[in-house]
Amino acid sequence: ERTMAVLDGFDIDAPRWDQSTFMGRLKHFFNITDCRTALLSASRLDEAKAIVDSCRAGSIPPGTTVEQMHYAKKLYDSAFHPDSGDRMNLIGRMSFQVPGGMAITGFMLQFYRTVPAVVFWQWVNQSFNALVNYTNRNAASPITTKQIGVAYVTATSTALATAVGLNLYTKKAPPLVARWVPFVAVAAANCVNIPMMRQQEVLNGIAVTDENGNKLGHSRKAAVKGITQVVISRVTMAAPGMIILPIIMQRLEKHRFMQKITFLHAPLQVMMVGVFLIFMVPAACSLFPQRCSMAVSKLEPDLRESINSQYGDRISHVYFNKGL
């Protein structure tokens, strides 16, 4: 009876944790980046979507508990796009960031000595990133196949040029500096990949709404703010593993037992990167609120005037989905 009473007024879209605080967002992202959800079948995810949709329509399936509703929403958030409601491809989901990211990052950190290995792993990483960025874009801003291609080629070229250039430059530098080259290349590529993949938002602006979700127009400045925050989050996500792990590995490799098991170095790095990413993926996603806000006074003059003429001083801030 208690369960049904709670469900009578249950709002499935109400945040389970306070999204205005870092800790609230951290709990939320630990929940939806749970890599175990990536193993679930499409039919199981569709079941969760059906529960969420029926709850939004006001008809909760009989016998459904609060815990089942929360779990359905967790699966829905982990696998379906917040703007379009479409099921996202597996590799592009945030719940796949830990297994996908740990494998690629581990190999990038292990095979950093030769140019062919650097080129191959940076290319694999940028292909993965491009798919993640495309999957998690603001879906209200469509992008053409040509623009996707240009973004992918530009970001991959940036990563390769940075990695190969620094790799050659650091030949005479201390060994640890060479180990940090993959991180610099990844950071540089992120600064290109994300804005390029989401260029439509910068060119045409993204939809901004009032506090209640009523659309007010499109803003390019809002797009720039959202994309900048995503770039900072992605670089932060990679930083601890790619900066601290090389120091750990360099220390470990001096020991005799490590020199005897060189074939285990790559799997070991992959596992250690995984430990970092389990914490860093949700932490980096939590740095900024998903529902980003911006003062009306900072918007483009024409949009600002349009809002002021319609609503006067009643609207001081606009809101938009910054993407992930």
Side-chain angles (χ1 to χ4, degrees), residues 151 191 200 239 272:
C191 294
Q200 283 296 96
M272 288 199 284

Side-chain angles (χ1 to χ4, degrees), residues 3 26 31 73 108 113 153 178 202 280 307 321:
T3 301
L26 188 63
N31 197 35
K73 186 64 164 58
M108 274 197 295
R113 291 184 178 91
V153 170
V202 181
M280 285 314 300
I307 293 170
N321 170 22

Side-chain angles (χ1 to χ4, degrees), residues 47-70:
E47 273 174 38
K49 185 178 191 290
I51 291 175
V52 171
D53 288 343
S54 63
C55 186
R56 282 175 176 163
S59 59
I60 296 164
T64 309
T65 65
V66 173
E67 287 71 29
Q68 286 170 329
M69 296 301 297
H70 281 315

Side-chain angles (χ1 to χ4, degrees), residues 50 106-107 127 192 242 290 314:
F107 288 127
S127 301
V192 175
M242 297 188 84
Q290 179 72 37
R314 279 175 300 167

